[in-house]
Amino acid sequence: MKVAECTTILVGKKASLDGSTLIARSEDGGREILPESFKVVLPEDQPRHYKSVLTGCEVELPGEPLRYTSVPDAHGKYGVWAAAGINEENVAMTATETITTNARIQGIDPLLVDDGLGEEDFVTLTLPYIHSAREGVLRVGELLAKYGTYEMNGMAFSDKDEIWYLETIGGHHWAARRIPDDAYVVAPNRFNIDEFDFESPDFMASADLQTIIADYKLNPDFEGYNLRHIFGSATVKDTHYNNPRAWYVQHYFDSNLQTTPLDQDQPFIVHADRKISVDDIMFLMASHYQNTPYDVYGDQGTAAEKKRFRPIGINRNFETHILQIRNDVPAGLAGVQWLGFGPNTFNAMVPFYTNIVDTPASFRDTGSKFNLQSIFWLNKLMSQLGDTNFKLYGELESAFEQKTVAACYRIQHQTDKLAQELQGAQLQTCLTKANQKMADLTFANTVELLGKMVEEGHAHMQLKYDLLD
């Protein structure tokens, strides 16, 4: 079975720099390289009868699906794994964040064994059928109640106004919270939702969840409901694998926070000391504890400290997305899917418009085998070379990333102005051309960077014997 462990960042519209809603996630895997692609699923290509590859679970789907973007696995041997996208109603979804649980809830509502739905399935079964973020929560809730799940997962939904984060609980239950407009969230691979108000319209859950908590005496707190305390974990693994990632993000946005990497009760809903940009999220998704003793590439810590905590940017990043729904442009321009393939320390994220009917070949036609025409494989090659000597290659990558993202911003600004009055097929053609232009320059800049790395690394090879040696 495919392993996927990720990091999620959510930013409300009043917390973001430009008033957009932002939901982001790195899709991480295990030892096996799992190439990713970028595709548009048209209504006529959406299945009417769905069957999961991993479990064989069969679902009859509603009629009249919406067009949507997706980031499926290139080989498909474990299923679709559509991962994330934005549909034609400018509703975004990312799924899923692998999370933790505890034996208490598993004894009441066990995870299914070899049955039900999981990360492989949720985007395909949900995103084409929802017209708001809130509808996304309700749709997944219905699927969980009817079909169940074999794993613990978190997922996020957004539209131009709202962001909702949902976590599965046991085999058939769930809880979701609306993210306040002026707040942000970082969610690593643990149960993340903490304070929960069953009476507020900004919270939703399975109809019997509060009753289960009472009947089985699951609440360890004297007052209120903290779902992380009730359904989640607080293990030694959390202190090394999960909590440090949340700590690093939260301290990046507010250095005065009084928390440590080991803390089990880091807050779920957080407020930054400034507005949050897409660039902030790109940095954090590539971060490896810079300027701390825990940076594997840094010079502050001991060998043990450098390996103590799992970073966000890691060799197992296979794709990372930032789903942006903008509020300062016409609806036809609002959806932007920032996308980067491979480890985030050596890639550049590209702001693809989602009101399109096709995607650039270098991002679409990845293939399951190594292919130098694919941006996924180029980024994977570049990151593995860069990892051999980060001090040597890191500045080259930084310059490449800034150059590439700046050029993409420029194309986006020009396209936004050009396309203000366009509609329908004319608008889609304009946006498709802009996407192609951004993909082409990213590909060219990536090849250029790879060439510079080869030139720079030539003199630093160990297998050498200079004439003057």
Side-chain angles (χ1 to χ4, degrees):
M1 184 180 295
K2 175 177 172 177
V3 177
E5 297 181 337
C6 317
T7 306
T8 295
I9 297 176
L10 316 172
V11 182
K13 63 183 181 181
K14 292 183 180 179
S16 70
L17 186 62
D18 67 350
S20 299
T21 57
L22 300 166
I23 63 175
R25 184 172 62 91
S26 63
E27 185 181 8
D28 308 337
R31 289 179 177 269
E32 179 186 5
I33 296 176
L34 298 169
E36 310 291 338
S37 59
F38 178 42
K39 294 184 177 180
V40 177
V41 181
L42 302 176
E44 58 266 31
D45 297 325
Q46 173 72 0
R48 268 46 178 184
H49 177 85
Y50 179 87
K51 184 176 182 179
S52 168
V53 170
L54 294 183
T55 67
C57 183
E58 298 186 51
V59 181
E60 292 296 330
L61 295 174
E64 300 184 8
L66 300 169
R67 184 194 73 243
Y68 64 102
T69 56
S70 65
V71 195
D73 284 5
H75 52 54
K77 65 181 179 180
Y78 300 116
V80 179
W81 294 72
I86 300 174
N87 70 25
E88 62 184 279
E89 294 285 339
N90 288 329
V91 180
M93 176 181 182
T94 180
T96 67
E97 179 80 26
T98 304
I99 60 172
T100 56
T101 185
N102 61 53
R104 295 186 299 277
I105 185 60
Q106 290 302 307
I108 300 164
D109 181 15
L111 293 172
L112 279 64
V113 177
D114 299 326
D115 197 8
L117 305 174
E119 182 170 350
E120 172 197 350
D121 317 298
F122 282 118
V123 170
T124 302
L125 300 180
T126 305
L127 188 56
Y129 308 104
I130 58 176
H131 299 80
S132 70
R134 188 178 291 259
E135 280 189 22
V137 173
L138 295 173
R139 168 74 177 162
V140 169
E142 291 172 357
L143 292 170
L144 288 169
K146 184 173 183 178
Y147 300 100
T149 183
Y150 50 86
E151 59 188 2
M152 289 286 292
N153 283 315
M155 58 195 80
F157 309 86
S158 66
D159 52 41
K160 67 182 180 65
D161 293 316
E162 294 188 340
I163 297 174
W164 283 82
Y165 180 73
L166 177 152
E167 291 185 312
T168 65
I169 298 171
H172 294 87
H173 290 82
W174 57 274
R177 178 172 184 176
R178 182 180 184 271
I179 308 307
D181 293 342
D182 63 349
Y184 77 92
V185 161
V186 53
N189 302 120
R190 67 183 183 197
F191 198 99
N192 290 283
I193 298 175
D194 50 17
E195 297 175 2
F196 200 84
D197 183 353
F198 283 96
E199 304 303 319
S200 169
D202 289 335
F203 298 78
M204 291 191 281
S206 300
D208 61 343
L209 192 65
Q210 190 173 11
T211 301
I212 286 175
I213 294 171
D215 289 350
Y216 289 93
K217 300 177 176 58
L218 298 179
N219 191 353
D221 298 323
F222 291 110
E223 294 183 359
Y225 293 92
N226 183 315
L227 297 195
R228 195 186 306 164
H229 293 171
I230 296 169
F231 300 118
S233 63
T235 65
V236 172
K237 179 181 177 180
D238 286 326
T239 64
H240 292 270
Y241 197 85
N242 294 318
N243 304 345
R245 282 180 275 162
W247 166 82
Y248 189 76
V249 172
Q250 291 176 4
H251 278 253
Y252 174 85
F253 288 125
D254 186 353
S255 60
N256 295 316
L257 285 177
Q258 300 299 308
T259 57
T260 73
L262 303 180
D263 284 348
Q264 299 281 21
D265 272 332
Q266 294 158 339
F268 176 62
I269 301 297
V270 197
H271 295 83
D273 62 9
R274 61 188 182 278
K275 292 184 177 181
I276 297 172
S277 69
V278 169
D279 302 78
D280 288 323
I281 299 176
M282 285 191 285
F283 169 79
L284 290 167
M285 285 301 193
S287 65
H288 38 89
Y289 302 113
Q290 290 94 316
N291 295 323
T292 77
Y294 316 118
D295 183 2
V296 69
Y297 292 139
D299 53 13
Q300 294 186 32
T302 65
E305 286 175 320
K306 291 173 184 288
K307 290 291 186 180
R308 182 165 296 169
F309 301 136
R310 190 228 131 133
I312 297 174
I314 198 170
N315 66 312
R316 297 185 283 107
N317 301 141
F318 290 139
E319 67 89 9
T320 300
H321 49 266
I322 305 170
L323 307 179
Q324 179 181 24
I325 309 298
R326 300 188 291 172
N327 280 298
D328 59 352
V329 295
L333 299 169
V336 176
Q337 184 159 354
W338 292 81
L339 186 61
F341 285 152
N344 293 320
T345 47
F346 277 89
N347 67 14
M349 298 194 72
V350 182
F352 290 120
Y353 292 97
T354 58
N355 185 10
I356 51 172
V357 294
D358 200 3
T359 54
S362 59
F363 282 77
R364 183 191 65 227
D365 301 333
T366 300
S368 58
K369 299 296 184 181
F370 186 80
N371 172 14
L372 285 175
Q373 300 305 309
S374 160
I375 194 71
F376 175 89
W377 290 108
L378 275 183
N379 284 346
K380 198 74 183 75
L381 172 62
M382 198 163 56
S383 64
Q384 289 181 216
L385 176 58
D387 184 72
T388 64
N389 192 333
F390 188 78
K391 287 186 177 179
L392 179 64
Y393 299 123
E395 285 304 313
L396 289 174
E397 189 283 331
S398 180
F400 147 80
E401 186 173 359
Q402 185 175 66
K403 171 184 174 180
T404 302
V405 174
C408 287
Y409 270 131
R410 180 67 173 165
I411 293 171
Q412 186 184 64
H413 295 327
Q414 293 170 341
T415 304
D416 283 350
K417 292 178 181 178
L418 180 66
Q420 284 284 323
E421 306 300 325
L422 298 180
Q423 300 286 334
Q426 282 188 318
L427 176 59
Q428 290 180 337
T429 298
C430 177
L431 301 186
T432 299
K433 288 180 178 178
N435 283 358
Q436 187 66 56
K437 192 173 182 180
M438 290 188 285
D440 289 345
L441 78 87
T442 301
F443 189 91
N445 287 355
T446 302
V447 172
E448 180 185 43
L449 172 59
L450 188 58
K452 289 180 179 179
M453 292 170 70
V454 171
E455 293 169 1
E456 190 70 25
H458 166 71
H460 294 271
M461 291 181 63
Q462 296 184 58
L463 186 64
K464 64 179 180 179
Y465 197 94
D466 294 335
L467 292 176
L468 299 178
D469 282 354

